[in-house]
Amino acid sequence: MTAAARPWTAPLATGPVASSVSLPGSKSMTARALVLSALAEGPSRIERPLRARDTTLMAAALRSLGAAIDTGSAGGAAGDVPGNAGTAAIWTVEPGPLRGPATVDVGLAGTIMRFAPPVAALAEGTVTFDGDPHARNRPLRPIVEALRSLGVVLDSSPEGGLPLVVRGTGMVAGGESVIDASGSSQFVSGLLLSAPRFTKGLVLRHEGPPVPSAPHLRMTTHMLRAAGAVVDESVPDVWSVEPGALRGRTWKIEPDLSGAVPFFAAAMVTGGSVTLAGWPRESWQPVATVIELLTRMGAEVTQDDAGLTVRGTGELHGIDADLSEVSELTPVISALAALAGSPSTLTGVAHIRGHETDRIAALATELSKVGAGIVEHPDGLEITPGPLKAATFETYADHRMAHAAAVIGLAVPGVELSDVACTSKTLPEFPELWAGLVTGS
């Protein structure tokens, strides 16, 4: 169930922000750890996962298929991240026989609608998938067709999406399949995560325009190997996973880098400083790409034992950037571009039209509304800063749109978000953490 809409006035910054923030774990890592743990041969622990709508729905989906998942296990209360009530320190997963019948609510989460159907194909019984109304518009056909090519029986909508019914027989033969994953790297990740359990494993070949969000694919293969899978990705656009057992293990979830970027943007807009506490020295997230991007826009970025720190220099630079590897950041980068001292051109993100909303069209509409000059292209935006003004910024049930509006509201009085409750998708505490950052409380 979605949270009730909550209109919200973005707080205006009256000076440089200065804060160290403790944020929940990575949504992407939490989702993958849940799936790999449910498919393993022994129990697993997930330390400092993200507790938000997407991840609790993922846990519920896997629980309905037979895994025993405790999202409030021993140690949770004592080990919670300071200032982050939404994160239990430890979740535990005990795999069980996969079975239906089951009904899965995907919400609006691409991870669930693309990661869970291959798991359901391994179950014995019928599993039905559906979600929020807009979830039916999110692309799913490539993974449906790939599963069919591997012998899985499915019923889908005429468009190849939700509602989806997977008629599992307790096994998937596996083998070779071809997919066009240009719409989402999640099509590849969803198949790879379950592939060790396929009788013949999987050789998956992508044919089509480039696959976006390559760092997410690398995260998938890293985590598969950490669970004991044998994965070969030495040939471009081909992934080979050998059949075999997955090990239960302890997963240590990193702070969510995408979720931190709005807070880093606050440092840049206000000329302040924000440290993401608990950032690891070695990361499975695209930290180098993010650092390079923020530095080009005028930030100073350092890392030490305290964490990853972004400092504003008092200037925001426009940028020409291909965001295909970090497309989740497009809304916040667009907000920074609207506040910058020179124009920006952002490209490589045609696939985000199929995200929680058509993010390119939504950004074009809302940034124009607050006064930026916008030219919309099929794969991105040209953004010319202008005198910005108060407006109601529609959030389209999309957490990233809410983040963009909050960033603009730091410098522009009277920016009203139509709904801030949509941030519960990945960070339920966002309004309170953001207000505390701006006010220094």
Side-chain angles (χ1 to χ4, degrees):
M1 212 179 151
T2 56
R6 178 183 166 191
W8 190 66
T9 301
L12 181 72
T14 56
V17 302
S19 181
S20 175
V21 294
S22 294
L23 294 182
S26 159
K27 178 188 75 169
S28 299
M29 288 185 69
T30 302
R32 286 160 175 78
L34 282 167
V35 172
L36 291 169
S37 298
L39 293 173
E41 289 200 340
S44 295
R45 290 159 51 95
I46 305 176
E47 296 186 356
R48 298 203 167 179
L50 170 68
R51 183 192 294 275
R53 186 176 187 232
D54 280 14
T55 53
T56 54
L57 284 175
M58 177 68 88
L62 297 169
R63 197 180 288 122
S64 73
L65 292 171
I69 302 177
D70 183 351
T71 56
S73 58
D80 281 357
V81 178
N84 178 27
T87 301
I90 299 171
W91 290 0
T92 60
V93 183
E94 291 274 357
L98 297 173
R99 78 272 184 273
T103 299
V104 172
D105 177 6
V106 309
L108 196 49
T111 48
I112 305 173
M113 62 191 292
R114 292 154 186 166
F115 292 6
V119 180
L122 291 162
E124 186 155 358
T126 299
V127 183
T128 301
F129 293 83
D130 207 353
D132 295 358
H134 185 71
R136 295 188 173 193
N137 299 326
R138 299 198 69 178
L140 189 58
R141 182 186 292 277
I143 204 165
V144 168
E145 292 180 346
L147 286 170
R148 284 183 174 137
S149 76
L150 297 171
V152 179
V153 178
L154 310 98
D155 304 325
S156 67
S157 72
E159 295 74 33
L162 299 176
L164 180 72
V165 179
V166 179
R167 304 187 185 280
T169 61
M171 59 85 69
V172 175
E176 297 189 10
S177 185
V178 176
I179 192 170
D180 178 355
S182 58
S184 175
S185 65
Q186 290 175 350
F187 298 142
V188 175
S189 289
L191 291 162
L192 296 185
L193 289 168
S194 291
R197 291 284 300 270
F198 296 172
T199 304
K200 301 176 186 175
L202 178 66
V203 176
L204 185 65
R205 181 185 304 275
H206 162 69
E207 292 183 358
V211 181
S213 304
H216 284 93
L217 282 177
R218 291 193 290 270
M219 179 186 291
T220 297
T221 55
H222 287 327
M223 293 182 72
L224 274 162
R225 291 189 183 102
V230 178
V231 184
D232 183 354
E233 54 188 328
S234 59
V235 178
D237 290 333
V238 179
W239 300 266
S240 176
V241 181
E242 294 184 13
L246 293 170
R247 297 189 299 263
R249 53 160 290 159
T250 294
W251 297 100
K252 298 180 185 295
I253 306 300
E254 301 172 7
D256 189 84
L257 183 61
S258 295
V261 169
F263 295 88
F264 292 155
M268 296 169 66
V269 171
T270 66
S273 173
V274 170
T275 298
L276 175 59
W279 186 254
R281 289 289 185 176
E282 300 292 331
S283 172
W284 286 347
Q285 299 179 75
V287 62
T289 303
V290 171
I291 289 173
E292 188 264 345
L293 191 59
L294 298 184
T295 301
R296 287 177 60 199
M297 297 196 80
E300 294 178 350
V301 186
T302 57
Q303 183 174 1
D304 55 26
D305 291 341
L308 187 66
T309 299
V310 173
R311 294 180 177 85
T313 59
E315 294 185 357
L316 279 176
H317 307 305
I319 190 172
D320 291 345
D322 180 337
L323 299 182
S324 58
E325 289 210 346
V326 287
S327 59
E328 285 285 315
L329 307 187
T330 304
V332 168
I333 297 300
S334 297
L336 287 172
L339 295 167
S342 56
S344 296
T345 301
L346 308 178
T347 60
V349 291
H351 62 286
I352 71 172
R353 292 187 182 276
H355 280 198
E356 283 80 346
T357 187
D358 179 339
R359 284 179 174 165
I360 294 176
L363 286 166
T365 298
E366 302 311 314
L367 293 175
S368 296
K369 194 185 294 183
V370 296
I374 303 295
V375 178
E376 180 179 346
H377 294 287
D379 73 333
L381 297 166
E382 292 180 38
I383 302 171
T384 301
L388 301 189
K389 59 188 180 184
T392 297
F393 201 104
E394 295 294 332
T395 56
Y396 302 83
D398 186 339
H399 56 144
R400 305 296 182 196
M401 292 295 295
H403 296 162
V407 169
I408 290 173
L410 291 167
V412 180
V415 173
E416 303 277 347
L417 280 68
S418 64
D419 175 31
V420 77
C422 62
T423 57
S424 66
K425 177 179 172 66
T426 49
L427 183 54
E429 307 91 335
F430 176 80
E432 291 73 30
L433 288 173
W434 190 261
L437 174 75
V438 176
T439 62
S441 60

